[in-house]
Amino acid sequence: MNTIKHHIGDDTLMAYVNGTLTETISVVVATHLALCPECRKNMQLMEDIAALYLLDSEPSDVISTPPSVDMLEQEDPSADLSFASEYVDKGVPAPLASQLPVHLEDIPWKKLIPGVSHYPLSVSNGSRKKGVLRLLKISPGTPIPEHSHTGQEITMILKGSYIDELGRFQFGDIADLDSAITHQPVADTDKDCICLIATDAPLKFSGFFSKLLQPLVGI
Ligand SMILES: [Zn+2]
């Protein structure tokens, strides 16, 4: 059953296909793709278009025809199942599991402020390392200080749910935000909300919390 309502933005997915995303954000995108047939299909379409574009740009007599909708529909109907079966390791989808030192249940959380803990994840490959990848745990009813972004922030829900100005976000949902958005997520059930968050530039906290939080979070 697919209950995912919030998906990866087209710009982000295209950057993922082109290999131009920072590694931190790529981890979140790959983790969502492992769960979401809709975004995988979207990505397939982008890859097909990119391939056609490359063909068209080569000097050649070959006439390329775009794939018909039928062709795309027929493509690899078993792919969904194979991706779903990867949802096994350490309580998280495989692309994220490789980043976790322990099972999600055993994460040694570090307290940021009352009701909010985090766990920074290191990303291998220093050459493209930029931005921050972390797990965030929000206690029920706790608001995250309102903030905006100097760059991109992408969040995926792993457990629980939260609500902000954009709607309700539950397991598998993606919040793909750019610098135009200021938001204040609140964990809205009786369970902790655990998210995977990647940024490619520091966050900007507005108002009271900024001096308190900025040096602690380091983002
Ligand atoms: Zn999706």
Side-chain angles (χ1 to χ4, degrees):
M1 188 176 66
N2 179 25
T3 57
I4 295 173
K5 291 190 177 66
H6 300 274
H7 298 274
I8 300 163
D10 284 348
D11 289 350
T12 303
L13 201 54
M14 186 59 94
Y16 182 77
V17 168
N18 289 335
T20 55
L21 278 185
T22 58
E23 190 168 358
T24 50
I25 290 177
S26 294
V27 170
V28 183
V29 170
T31 303
H32 178 83
L33 284 169
L35 298 177
C36 182
E38 191 172 326
C39 284
R40 287 203 301 278
K41 192 170 178 182
N42 206 5
M43 181 176 74
Q44 182 66 55
L45 201 59
M46 288 178 180
E47 285 175 342
D48 289 345
I49 291 168
L52 286 173
Y53 183 80
L54 284 177
L55 276 180
D56 284 349
S57 64
E58 285 171 5
S60 155
D61 294 330
V62 178
I63 299 169
S64 56
T65 45
S68 68
V69 173
D70 282 352
M71 280 172 64
L72 293 171
E73 295 286 347
Q74 288 166 11
E75 228 165 57
D76 200 4
S78 65
D80 291 358
L81 295 174
S82 63
F83 267 87
S85 68
E86 291 182 27
Y87 181 66
V88 284
D89 202 10
K90 296 175 184 167
V92 296
L96 174 58
S98 61
Q99 307 289 334
L100 294 190
V102 294
H103 194 283
L104 187 63
E105 301 291 329
D106 302 320
I107 293 291
W109 296 101
K110 298 171 183 177
K111 187 175 165 186
L112 278 174
I113 55 175
V116 182
S117 306
H118 78 145
Y119 185 75
L121 298 171
S122 60
V123 175
S124 56
N125 184 0
S127 62
R128 279 204 299 149
K129 187 168 177 178
K130 191 180 141 195
V132 174
L133 181 69
R134 73 183 60 242
L135 294 168
L136 200 65
K137 184 170 77 165
I138 313 167
S139 298
T142 305
I144 296 291
E146 184 176 84
H147 59 278
S148 58
H149 318 101
T150 52
Q152 186 175 15
E153 177 192 86
I154 188 165
T155 303
M156 185 178 141
I157 311 298
L158 297 172
K159 283 196 165 197
S161 60
Y162 76 68
I163 283 183
D164 70 5
E165 292 81 345
L166 300 174
R168 184 148 194 249
F169 291 77
Q170 305 178 80
F171 175 72
D173 279 333
I174 284 276
D176 189 357
L177 307 176
D178 64 21
S179 56
I181 296 199
T182 297
H183 70 146
Q184 184 169 31
V186 182
D188 73 327
T189 68
D190 58 357
K191 296 192 180 96
D192 287 336
C193 177
I194 298 179
C195 321
L196 174 67
I197 302 183
T199 52
D200 67 357
L203 298 189
K204 289 188 297 191
F205 286 93
S206 34
F208 169 73
F209 277 104
S210 57
K211 281 186 182 153
L212 175 67
L213 208 53
Q214 205 87 58
L216 284 173
V217 183
I219 51 180

